[in-house]
Amino acid sequence: MKLEQAIQSTKFKSEVQKAVLNTLYTAWWLKTVMSKELKEFGLTHEQYNVLRILKGKYPEQMCVRDVACRMIEKSSNVPRIIDRLELKKLVKRATSQIDKRETVITLTQSGIAILEASTRILDKSMDDNRFMMNCEDAEKLNSLLEKLRKTEE
Amino acid sequence: MKLEQAIQSTKFKSEVQKAVLNTLYTAWWLKTVMSKELKEFGLTHEQYNVLRILKGKYPEQMCVRDVACRMIEKSSNVPRIIDRLELKKLVKRATSQIDKRETVITLTQSGIAILEASTRILDKSMDDNRFMMNCEDAEKLNSLLEKLRKTEE
DNA sequence: ATTATTTATGTGTATATACATCTATTTAGT
DNA sequence: ACTAAATAGATGTATATACACATAAATAAT
């Protein structure tokens, strides 16, 4: 669906302003598509993101801060997301012995299993074939998004 | 900041997958920039969006459903956002006389004033000059985002 | 060594998101 | 006209976001 239909608006202040709205709308659309797949695993988009980040270092542990700085949405409240994952026994919390301020997080076997299963489904649904976009298009899109974030300051 | 630094990850499954993450990150970044400006008016990003939508029809009233279908994030809970705006006396609620199921929303003078003031500030901060992007770039970005949302189904 | 500052995490609060359900009203079907 | 279905909106619950603040531990400053 075109942006104009999606938000029922045809007049934009400029093409750049339209690109801003388009980016916001596309991100919402992407999150919705992904969340639908994750739902059958009882995972939210953000919980899945944390599990993925932990997997990246596995079998090493990670502290909360290291997880947080890898999150896509930086102001996510990681301790609270971990609360939910711990409740479902997908991760374990322990106090670091080296630095007792740190909480180190470990994926459980159950966490690995659910991550692998959900990643399989998500990859099937979100693989490159889903998108009518080739590698060249994606490269161009990536460079334009970087450009949008590059401000004068 | 480049995506790789922002989420401290260098290996992506594909350029398309990277574009997905890049879109999510850029949307978060844009929302953060805008919210910072809106904060001094005590408005959230979503409250501002509702005020803008109401302004689009002003001085006509709008029902909740019409506001909702113009929202960028479709699953926003519009009645509740209106609760907050009503509490701050920026909008008024009334039951439609034509269809008593409908609630019609009107901007108050105070709502118009705060919308205009915040839009002035936001435009100053988010105008085309802020972004290192010309109209041509923006057009290309818009077409690529539309393409990303165009799936095979 | 003692105090001040910084850092890592947790927690409290307001708002938003996502989704299910309830109520009132309207519309359609018979 | 009467009942069923659809629609508009409100509300409840769980989770997330945004941000302030609290606590404990580590580090720096004196």
Side-chain angles (χ1 to χ4, degrees):
Chain A
M1 192 188 278
K2 283 232 152 210
L3 180 68
E4 284 85 347
Q5 297 169 258
I7 65 171
Q8 306 215 1
S9 175
T10 48
K11 37 183 193 292
F12 301 99
K13 216 171 301 173
S14 70
E15 199 68 19
V16 175
Q17 296 298 309
K18 181 179 167 183
V20 168
L21 298 183
N22 215 341
T23 304
L24 294 174
Y25 176 68
T26 305
W28 172 82
W29 182 87
L30 287 168
K31 280 204 254 188
T32 304
V33 171
M34 288 190 256
S35 294
K36 204 173 290 177
E37 302 292 341
L38 291 171
K39 215 186 159 188
E40 66 170 301
F41 297 96
L43 289 177
T44 66
H45 187 256
E46 296 68 25
Q47 289 170 10
Y48 178 77
N49 197 12
V50 169
L51 293 179
R52 283 298 297 259
I53 289 168
L54 289 169
K55 184 72 189 307
K57 283 278 178 181
Y58 189 83
E60 272 180 69
Q61 300 178 321
M62 290 182 81
C63 70
V64 176
R65 202 185 56 83
D66 285 345
V67 174
C69 76
R70 283 172 172 79
M71 295 291 284
I72 293 173
E73 319 223 343
K74 296 304 173 196
S75 41
S76 292
N77 201 331
V78 177
R80 221 109 53 163
I81 297 175
I82 292 172
D83 286 347
R84 313 273 144 65
L85 293 172
E86 196 183 23
L87 220 66
K88 287 185 276 195
K89 305 214 181 298
L90 304 180
V91 303
K92 263 196 226 174
R93 256 191 179 110
T95 302
S96 165
Q97 286 315 301
I98 302 129
D99 184 338
K100 281 175 190 161
R101 290 171 305 179
E102 286 186 353
T103 300
V104 288
I105 320 294
T106 327
L107 278 172
T108 63
Q109 286 307 310
S110 166
I112 292 168
I114 208 169
L115 177 62
E116 279 174 359
S118 53
T119 299
R120 247 194 316 276
I121 298 291
L122 210 56
D123 282 358
K124 206 173 287 175
S125 152
M126 298 286 288
D127 76 343
D128 291 10
N129 296 326
R130 181 195 178 101
F131 300 107
M132 308 289 274
M133 180 166 263
N134 58 36
C135 179
E136 203 183 334
D137 285 334
E139 270 175 21
K140 185 72 188 158
L141 177 52
N142 278 315
S143 87
L144 286 170
L145 289 168
E146 305 283 354
K147 201 167 182 181
L148 184 63
R149 293 203 309 273
K150 193 169 291 168
T151 61
E152 287 171 326
E153 301 160 37
Chain B
M1 190 188 281
K2 284 232 150 208
L3 180 68
E4 284 85 348
Q5 297 169 258
I7 65 171
Q8 308 215 357
S9 175
T10 47
K11 37 182 193 292
F12 300 100
K13 216 170 303 172
S14 70
E15 200 67 20
V16 175
Q17 297 297 309
K18 181 178 169 184
V20 168
L21 298 184
N22 215 343
T23 304
L24 295 174
Y25 176 68
T26 305
W28 172 80
W29 183 88
L30 286 168
K31 279 204 255 188
T32 303
V33 171
M34 288 190 254
S35 294
K36 203 173 289 176
E37 302 292 341
L38 291 171
K39 214 186 160 186
E40 66 171 300
F41 298 95
L43 290 176
T44 67
H45 186 256
E46 296 68 25
Q47 289 169 12
Y48 177 78
N49 196 12
V50 169
L51 293 180
R52 284 296 299 257
I53 290 169
L54 290 169
K55 185 73 188 306
K57 284 276 177 181
Y58 188 84
E60 271 179 70
Q61 301 178 319
M62 289 182 82
C63 69
V64 175
R65 202 184 56 82
D66 284 346
V67 174
C69 75
R70 283 174 172 77
M71 296 290 283
I72 293 172
E73 319 222 342
K74 295 305 173 195
S75 40
S76 292
N77 201 331
V78 178
R80 220 110 51 162
I81 296 175
I82 292 171
D83 286 348
R84 313 272 144 66
L85 294 172
E86 196 182 23
L87 220 66
K88 287 185 276 196
K89 305 215 182 297
L90 303 180
V91 303
K92 264 196 225 173
R93 259 192 179 107
T95 302
S96 164
Q97 287 313 304
I98 301 127
D99 184 337
K100 282 174 191 160
R101 290 170 305 180
E102 285 186 354
T103 301
V104 288
I105 320 295
T106 328
L107 277 172
T108 63
Q109 287 307 310
S110 165
I112 292 168
I114 208 169
L115 178 62
E116 280 174 358
S118 54
T119 298
R120 246 193 318 276
I121 298 291
L122 210 56
D123 282 359
K124 205 172 288 174
S125 152
M126 298 287 289
D127 77 342
D128 290 10
N129 296 327
R130 181 196 177 101
F131 301 107
M132 308 289 273
M133 180 166 262
N134 58 35
C135 179
E136 203 182 334
D137 284 335
E139 270 175 21
K140 185 71 188 160
L141 177 51
N142 277 316
S143 87
L144 286 170
L145 289 168
E146 305 283 354
K147 201 166 181 180
L148 185 62
R149 294 203 308 273
K150 193 168 291 169
T151 59
E152 288 171 323
E153 301 159 37

